Amino acid sequence: MGQVIEGRDGPWEMVIGLETHAQVVSKAKLFSGASAEFGAAPNSHVGFLDAGMPGMLPVVNGVCVEAAVKTGIALNAAINLVSIFDRKNYFYPDLPLGYQISQFSDPIVGKGHLDIETEAGPKRIGITRLHLEQDAGKSLHDQDPLRTFIDLNRAGVGLMEIVSEPDIRSGEEAAAYVAKLREILEDLGVCDGNMEEGSLRCDVNLSLRRPGGPLGTRTEIKNINSIRFIRQAIACEAARQIEILEEGGKILQETRLFDPDIGETRAMRSKEESHDYRYFPDPDLPPLILDQTYVDQIRATMPEMRGDRRRRLERDNIPAANVEIITSSAKSMNYFTDMSENFEDKILASNIMVNEIMPRVFYRNSNPDIERLRPSEANTIINMISSGNISGRQAKEAFEFMWEEGKSAADVVAERGLAQMSDDGAIKALVDQVVAANPDKVAEYRSGKTKLIGFFVGQVMKASQGKANPQAVNALLMARLDA
Amino acid sequence: MSLDRDTVARIAGLARIRVDADELDGLAGELNAILNWVEALNAVPTDGVEPMIAVGATRAPFRDDVVTEGDQADAVLKNAPDPVPPFFTVPKVIE
């Protein structure tokens, strides 16, 4: 049972379903060869198809199809081997074709589910469907007093629309659902999950009813672009609906927008005649037919999902706090995997990740600066620590210089003289010095008090100002004392 | 199936085609004639026949995920009315 809201004359229950639009990570658009990259000069990523030019034919991007299948598998959903692209017809200036190519009656992915964690324990949220469709262009209303400017760079970029069953009963559950979905999409690498840039956005369908009673009329809150706003929008809209219902009023089935600045939802001015999209199969596109072997192949090569990755890190005895931080995003997780590759001491690697890498590279988690300090460079430093070339403290300095000066690990260590003294001749001289200065300890050692080796190592390290390689010191001391 | 004047007016509105009131009856008649003609198909028994979803057995070919066009704002805007390069413009849309 979900949570109830105590109303003036009895409890209310929220019934929530979410429609999530996830932008597919691909180089080209869903049906054209124009770039799908974000943030380019206006109208520079526009193919003739995207601009609605006559005579152009859509051809579906294989990577987008694969993304939909992967996501469907991760959502435990049925993959439909035959699906159909339909035209959803409406007029809007940022939709030059006059229709959006979408999937209506026969989506590529059917029913599935996703499990979320709630305060009352795990809960299963049904997935109704997932389909592929085109994004629209962008209207800029504030550039000119009389005109709206149109940028079609986004027009035709591939989206996955993921529709949940109305199984969600609170803002917290909605937030948990979106967080889990984003985690899955990121882990699969099919969507970057960046809600600020709009790669992931949500429509909330919300109605209220007496617990267990018949469903009420729902409203749809469009285009919410953060998990916090989803929670807020649901709270505001539920309060608004309860007030109306308790005054004996009726909820209008309408589309609303959430304004986070004032914490209110407001009705969108009803767009033209209500939704009459006159869907029909796009005659330019044959049905999308997949082979079972194609689906099986994708299933066999699914990447490791976050839950599994967490468990694997825990098996490597990495402290739970470190695991939590490292797995906070797919990118940090992948960074850690690359950085700690071929490296036994995962605990040391995890400490370096948490103390040196996360505060720098992942300072903005949604948009990490991986190029500035690559995992391979971090890997070099860790290997230097483990092979005794540099100390932990020197490693700390090295990371700071690498980050600030953009230099490679090897350059920083060489230029700053961070390398430990590994030159046998130099260490040998220090060993001789220490042995000569402590004849009584040498005698004790030779009479069997071999624990004194620690004392000698300490003295040599001190004489080298901490720069000598401890392993080399150890070996040379043993050779000298045991001679 | 038969379309009345109001439905024809609504379809025209959705398609953004201006139809004068005195044309509605004539158009309704023509559209109904088309629908009646297609309805002849209802006489064909189709029980147990798999729906034909497309003519011919063509499969949608896949496009490789490579960028093959772009950086052509001039060409794309060439026939647009009243552009402010690099933008298309339309009369102000009031949300």
Side-chain angles (χ1 to χ4, degrees):
Chain A
M1 270 307 290
Q3 301 81 336
V4 295
I5 306 169
E6 282 310 322
R8 200 175 57 192
D9 44 11
W12 294 98
E13 182 183 48
M14 292 190 224
V15 177
I16 301 168
L18 296 181
E19 291 168 22
T20 310
H21 288 89
Q23 188 194 307
V24 178
V25 172
S26 63
K27 296 188 185 75
K29 293 184 177 180
L30 181 54
F31 293 111
S32 87
S35 170
E37 198 192 343
F38 180 82
N43 288 312
S44 62
H45 289 177
V46 182
F48 291 119
L49 176 84
D50 311 313
M53 297 294 173
M56 307 307 297
L57 284 176
V59 179
V60 71
N61 183 337
V63 160
C64 298
V65 173
E66 193 182 324
V69 172
K70 262 190 196 165
T71 310
I73 292 170
L75 294 174
N76 314 290
I79 308 299
N80 294 326
L81 297 180
V82 177
S83 65
I84 293 172
F85 287 111
D86 295 285
R87 292 185 178 179
K88 178 181 181 176
N89 299 279
Y90 65 95
F91 284 106
Y92 206 72
D94 56 23
L95 188 80
L97 288 164
Y99 56 85
Q100 175 193 36
I101 307 178
S102 179
Q103 298 191 295
F104 185 57
S105 58
D106 295 86
I108 183 166
V109 175
K111 277 190 190 304
H113 64 257
L114 180 155
D115 294 326
I116 60 169
E117 291 301 323
T118 71
E119 276 182 6
K123 176 169 175 174
R124 177 158 291 183
I125 307 295
I127 300 291
T128 312
R129 58 185 280 156
L130 176 157
H131 67 254
L132 283 168
E133 63 183 28
Q134 298 173 301
D135 203 349
K138 193 166 123 193
S139 302
L140 296 97
H141 301 294
D142 53 3
Q143 306 286 310
D144 185 289
L146 298 173
R147 292 180 288 192
T148 292
F149 286 17
I150 309 289
D151 173 8
L152 297 180
N153 280 351
R154 313 299 315 142
V157 169
L159 300 177
M160 294 185 282
E161 178 171 333
I162 302 156
V163 183
S164 88
E165 294 285 317
D167 291 344
I168 297 165
R169 293 289 174 271
S170 69
E172 282 64 42
E173 287 185 13
Y177 168 87
V178 176
K180 186 66 188 285
L181 184 58
R182 179 166 71 175
E183 193 176 296
I184 290 172
L185 296 168
E186 279 181 18
D187 289 359
L188 294 172
V190 295
C191 171
D192 68 20
N194 188 333
M195 296 189 84
E196 292 136 61
E197 286 180 6
S199 329
L200 190 67
R201 45 194 197 255
C202 245
D203 302 341
V204 174
N205 286 291
L206 168 66
S207 66
L208 285 158
R209 66 174 175 186
R210 295 299 186 185
L215 289 171
T217 305
R218 66 184 165 83
T219 59
E220 181 179 16
I221 315 165
K222 276 263 185 226
N223 263 334
I224 311 176
N225 66 350
S226 90
I227 290 180
R228 188 162 54 97
F229 291 162
I230 290 171
R231 217 185 276 121
Q232 289 175 3
I234 288 172
C236 296
E237 178 59 13
R240 187 189 73 89
Q241 289 191 16
I242 288 175
E243 199 179 311
I244 294 173
L245 291 169
E246 292 189 335
E247 294 300 322
K250 274 205 162 75
I251 304 298
L252 292 177
Q253 183 166 346
E254 64 187 354
T255 305
R256 303 180 67 85
L257 287 175
F258 176 62
D259 184 339
D261 293 333
I262 53 172
E264 270 179 21
T265 67
R266 61 187 163 83
M268 283 172 82
R269 274 193 219 151
S270 59
K271 246 197 216 172
E272 56 191 83
E273 287 187 65
S274 62
H275 309 288
D276 188 346
Y277 292 127
R278 293 149 294 141
Y279 284 97
F280 65 91
D282 191 322
D284 288 344
L285 282 157
L288 181 57
I289 299 173
L290 309 175
D291 292 320
Q292 187 59 48
T293 51
Y294 169 85
V295 177
D296 292 344
Q297 233 161 39
I298 293 175
R299 196 183 294 276
T301 54
M302 293 282 280
E304 188 177 30
M305 305 301 282
R306 202 153 322 179
D308 297 330
R309 186 96 60 123
R310 260 184 211 127
R311 280 185 285 282
R312 187 161 58 82
L313 295 181
E314 279 158 7
R315 271 202 309 280
D316 285 334
N317 295 317
I318 293 175
N322 286 5
V323 172
E324 191 61 34
I325 294 170
I326 292 168
T327 58
S328 59
S329 76
K331 281 179 180 155
S332 58
M333 216 159 60
N334 292 336
Y335 191 106
F336 180 71
T337 304
D338 293 347
M339 158 186 137
S340 59
E341 208 180 7
N342 311 326
F343 189 70
E344 286 296 308
D345 190 350
K346 301 284 188 205
I347 300 173
L348 169 62
S350 80
N351 287 332
I352 296 281
M353 181 73 187
V354 168
N355 297 322
E356 308 300 333
I357 305 298
M358 293 301 295
R360 298 194 172 96
V361 178
F362 293 88
Y363 144 72
R364 280 170 311 172
N365 215 345
S366 60
N367 195 9
D369 201 351
I370 291 169
E371 288 307 311
R372 189 159 160 197
L373 205 173
R374 302 186 57 77
S376 56
E377 295 298 316
N379 179 271
T380 306
I381 295 286
I382 299 178
N383 274 306
M384 287 180 180
I385 302 173
S386 76
S387 65
N389 284 333
I390 60 174
S391 67
R393 211 195 62 218
Q394 289 169 326
K396 251 186 142 43
E397 288 178 42
F399 278 117
E400 185 59 25
F401 292 133
M402 285 158 72
W403 181 250
E404 290 306 328
E405 296 169 9
K407 288 183 177 152
S408 74
D411 287 351
V412 160
V413 169
E415 283 173 25
R416 299 273 163 177
L418 290 175
Q420 299 199 77
M421 194 188 286
S422 293
D423 168 16
D424 278 5
I427 298 176
K428 218 171 203 164
L430 294 175
V431 166
D432 287 344
Q433 200 183 308
V434 167
V435 166
N438 297 282
D440 45 339
K441 293 279 197 309
V442 172
E444 276 183 62
Y445 177 91
R446 288 189 170 145
S447 66
K449 214 170 165 189
T450 51
K451 276 188 185 159
L452 277 171
I453 190 73
F455 163 79
F456 287 110
V457 171
Q459 291 298 306
V460 176
M461 289 303 292
K462 201 169 149 193
S464 77
Q465 293 164 324
K467 284 191 171 178
N469 176 334
Q471 276 90 34
V473 171
N474 214 41
L476 289 166
L477 266 169
M478 299 271 239
R480 178 79 168 75
L481 293 170
D482 294 341
Chain B
M1 190 167 178
S2 143
L3 301 176
D4 58 19
R5 281 174 61 96
D6 289 348
T7 310
V8 174
R10 185 171 144 72
I11 293 169
L14 286 169
R16 299 291 189 276
I17 297 171
R18 182 184 299 155
V19 176
D20 293 332
D22 59 2
E23 294 174 291
L24 287 174
D25 285 326
L27 274 174
E30 286 177 35
L31 288 170
N32 280 324
I34 294 170
L35 290 172
N36 290 337
W37 182 69
V38 174
E39 266 171 19
L41 286 173
N42 287 344
V44 182
T46 54
D47 286 353
V49 178
E50 285 234 344
M52 186 181 77
I53 45 178
V55 180
T58 17
R59 270 180 179 224
F62 286 2
R63 165 193 288 283
D64 289 336
D65 185 30
V66 288
V67 176
T68 54
E69 60 178 329
D71 292 323
Q72 51 184 0
D74 291 350
V76 165
L77 289 170
K78 196 168 178 187
N79 297 315
D82 193 23
V84 178
F87 291 102
F88 296 92
T89 75
V90 295
K92 192 121 189 148
V93 179
I94 301 156
E95 191 277 308

